[in-house]
Amino acid sequence: MVSRPHGGRLVNRVASDSRREKILAEAAELPQIPISVEKAIEAENIARGVYSPLEGFMLSEDFESCLTRMRLASDVPWTLPVVLDVEEGSLVDISEGDEVLLTLDGSPTALMEVEEIYRYDKRRTAVSVFGTDSPEHPGVRRTLKMGDLLLGGRITLVGSVPNPYERYTLWPIETRVLFKEKGWKTVVGFQTRNAPHRGHEELQKTALAFVDGVFINPVIGRKKPGDFRDDVILEAYRALIRHYYPRDTAVLAILRYEMRYAGPREAVHHAIMRKNFGCTHFIVGRDHAGVGNFYPPYAAQEIFREFPDLGVTPLFFREFFYCRRCGGLANEKTCPHPESDRVRFSGTKIRELIERGEVPPPEVMRPEVAEVILSFEDPFVR
Amino acid sequence: MSRVEGEKVTLEISKELYERAKKWVESTSDFSSVEELIEFLLGEVLSEESGEQVYSPEEEEEIKERLRSLGYL
Ligand SMILES: [Zn+2]
């Protein structure tokens, strides 16, 4: 029995074929609201149950409750706002109670029942979610640039968002069937935005030592220059799984999702999404979903204390390193040796080596993984 | 776990079981009270009973077909 969906029920807001045809036939008469690809992906995540129990973009009651007490109005834990913002002037002829069509590049994505149009305080939202209103924080900057009004209401998905990684995309209903077919009763979720080094592998395998399977779920979305390209991350993981994981212990599928860099709050959100995919456990390492020095390194672990009713078990790990004296991977909790014996996994250092076409040492990265990465002409986002 | 707020009823359980549950609750951080523990356990049992299946057998077969075609099964 994999994990129950968050809030008890897996949401499905994808239009049936007949409903879809009907909506599209009426599309010309519906007011349209153009949305960004990021918002279209949010709509898809809502409709396909990744954000269960949300059935649409948040109403003010849930939004307020999320900001002030990290729960929906129904008391279900929920830490990040999922909202649709619009510019005030763009809402000509749209009022509460209307149905509108959300469109991406002119194509219908979803029908939305606009239940509520409301104002909100951007600075206060930023401070609640990110713990800061510093413009140095990318999430704060994005929040301050949002439209002045929020639209809340249920959606029905009628289109799909172009996806270059269709064959690596699984939805919660599919992973639930998959985990069941594999006979996994316990599944640990792993969030990543990176090509795997030994530290990542150790996190997963330490967890795997006492659960049935690991769900490796890289987030595909907007990247920063210097990040590994999405296709590189996927191929690197495929190599790692092929060479270093026992058969039928790992599933690799992507999640299209825009990182907020909200640290602790986002760590809980990441856990909730993986719970909806069927995970019973979720790995939280050092500085999960953090950015710069905005969050203490283990704040994203501490926050879970506030959610005894989360319904997915967080697994907390100290940062792994390679210890020459221990002769293997270790962390503060398992190794007594001084820093001089330890090799830290620095993303920057790994990148520098790869930039120069050099293979990182095997205690830092598996040679098969390094080989795959180096086989790309340019593995980085520019 | 969804907690329904509002209406509550009183249940009777054996004192011995209650004392054991209370001890257990106090020793872990997962539940704040015996009530919370009982609500959770009942919810689990009942949802397993009803299956909470969100797909029909036909849909499940379609899903498996896609998983096979992608190499996941
Ligand atoms: Zn050591």
Side-chain angles (χ1 to χ4, degrees):
Chain A
M1 184 80 190
V2 293
S3 177
R4 285 179 66 202
H6 199 53
R9 197 176 58 85
L10 195 64
V11 166
N12 177 8
R13 300 292 310 163
V14 183
S16 62
D17 289 347
S18 56
R19 177 97 206 277
R20 185 171 172 274
E21 271 169 39
K22 193 160 168 281
I23 292 170
L24 294 181
E26 291 164 1
E29 281 128 62
L30 290 170
Q32 298 196 354
I33 298 182
I35 55 172
S36 64
V37 68
E38 285 82 19
K39 288 294 169 191
I41 287 169
E42 291 275 272
E44 201 168 28
N45 283 341
I46 292 167
R48 294 189 181 275
V50 179
Y51 294 169
S52 300
L54 296 191
E55 296 191 308
F57 291 101
M58 281 179 171
L59 303 176
S60 60
E61 191 188 23
D62 278 335
F63 176 70
E64 263 310 305
S65 179
C66 165
L67 291 190
T68 54
R69 52 184 210 117
M70 302 196 284
R71 287 172 183 272
L72 299 176
S74 65
D75 220 24
V76 170
W78 200 275
T79 48
L80 292 184
V82 176
V83 292
L84 181 62
D85 61 300
V86 289
E87 293 299 341
E88 185 144 20
S90 70
L91 281 189
V92 193
D93 291 339
I94 296 174
S95 45
E96 289 179 359
D98 287 351
E99 286 189 332
V100 300
L101 207 55
L102 306 181
T103 61
L104 174 63
D105 300 328
S107 302
T109 300
L111 179 78
M112 179 175 183
E113 302 157 37
V114 180
E115 290 166 57
E116 194 183 2
I117 302 172
Y118 58 101
R119 288 183 185 282
Y120 67 112
D121 183 329
K122 289 180 205 172
R123 194 159 299 275
R124 179 176 158 255
T125 302
V127 171
S128 299
V129 174
F130 303 104
T132 173
D133 64 356
S134 163
E136 301 291 309
H137 190 297
V140 172
R141 280 202 302 276
R142 295 194 73 192
T143 304
L144 297 180
K145 274 193 281 187
M146 282 166 60
D148 288 332
L149 295 174
L150 299 180
L151 301 190
R154 290 207 305 182
I155 60 155
T156 304
L157 194 75
V158 294
S160 57
V161 188
N163 179 358
Y165 299 105
E166 198 68 60
R167 63 168 293 225
Y168 288 110
T169 304
L170 297 181
W171 298 108
I173 193 172
E174 294 170 322
T175 50
R176 287 171 170 274
V177 170
L178 179 59
F179 298 160
K180 194 180 84 174
E181 282 302 296
K182 287 188 176 292
W184 293 356
K185 296 224 174 340
T186 49
V187 188
V188 65
F190 185 73
Q191 144 83 33
T192 185
R193 289 175 282 143
N194 242 311
H197 57 52
R198 294 286 304 276
H200 298 124
E201 180 185 341
E202 195 68 12
L203 282 169
Q204 294 167 36
K205 288 198 172 163
T206 309
L208 196 49
F210 64 96
V211 297
D212 299 327
V214 55
F215 177 49
I216 303 167
N217 198 205
V219 160
I220 303 288
R222 198 198 307 249
K223 292 259 146 96
K224 300 191 294 286
D227 285 350
F228 281 107
R229 275 169 34 188
D230 293 330
D231 50 351
V232 173
I233 295 170
L234 285 167
E235 289 306 320
Y237 260 108
R238 283 181 48 147
L240 181 68
I241 293 167
R242 191 163 59 243
H243 293 285
Y244 292 95
Y245 284 65
R247 206 182 142 77
D248 274 333
T249 57
V251 164
L252 171 68
I254 63 154
L255 172 64
R256 292 207 294 171
Y257 167 82
E258 201 67 24
M259 286 292 299
R260 270 72 159 183
Y261 303 102
R265 274 188 183 242
E266 187 158 17
V268 175
H269 185 70
H270 285 172
I272 290 172
M273 291 191 287
R274 278 40 179 248
K275 176 187 175 188
N276 283 327
F277 278 100
C279 294
T280 51
H281 296 73
F282 182 69
I283 292 171
V284 187
R286 186 182 186 279
D287 198 25
H288 191 110
V291 62
N293 291 317
F294 280 100
Y295 308 104
Y298 294 102
Q301 301 184 349
E302 280 149 27
I303 191 176
F304 281 86
R305 276 199 224 125
E306 298 185 43
F307 303 100
D309 52 345
L310 195 63
V312 53
T313 306
L315 300 179
F316 303 136
F317 290 97
R318 296 273 141 174
E319 193 177 24
F320 281 99
F321 44 76
Y322 183 86
C323 173
R324 293 190 194 93
R325 292 272 300 281
C326 289
L329 279 99
N331 66 23
E332 279 168 30
K333 293 183 75 178
T334 62
C335 159
H337 304 122
E339 193 58 37
S340 53
D341 287 320
R342 298 171 174 179
V343 181
R344 296 272 171 185
F345 303 115
S346 146
T348 316
K349 265 193 202 144
I350 293 174
R351 192 183 136 197
E352 281 168 10
L353 287 169
I354 290 173
E355 288 269 18
R356 292 201 298 267
E358 288 173 32
V359 179
E363 59 268 26
V364 170
M365 185 175 267
R366 297 290 192 186
E368 294 87 347
V369 171
E371 189 187 331
V372 164
I373 296 173
L374 287 164
S375 73
F376 283 83
E377 200 170 317
D378 185 357
F380 299 105
V381 175
R382 297 294 166 188
Chain B
M1 169 175 47
S2 59
R3 265 189 286 154
V4 180
E5 295 292 328
E7 275 195 282
K8 300 269 180 187
V9 296
T10 310
L11 286 179
E12 291 195 338
I13 60 169
S14 75
K15 186 150 195 287
E16 192 256 351
L17 192 59
Y18 175 79
E19 292 299 338
R20 277 168 59 201
K22 192 159 164 259
K23 235 185 193 165
W24 186 81
V25 163
E26 284 164 358
S27 71
T28 74
S29 57
D30 294 349
F31 300 92
S32 58
S33 65
V34 177
E35 280 82 4
E36 205 178 71
L37 169 68
I38 303 285
E39 279 215 8
F40 173 77
L41 291 175
L42 270 178
E44 288 289 287
V45 170
L46 295 177
S47 72
E48 249 171 80
E49 195 60 32
S50 70
E52 290 273 331
Q53 217 65 320
V54 281
Y55 39 81
S56 65
E58 296 77 38
E59 284 168 324
E60 181 168 347
E61 210 29 68
E62 273 175 40
I63 291 169
K64 284 186 197 163
E65 202 38 63
R66 175 162 194 262
L67 291 171
R68 273 184 220 110
S69 73
L70 296 176
Y72 282 102
L73 273 180

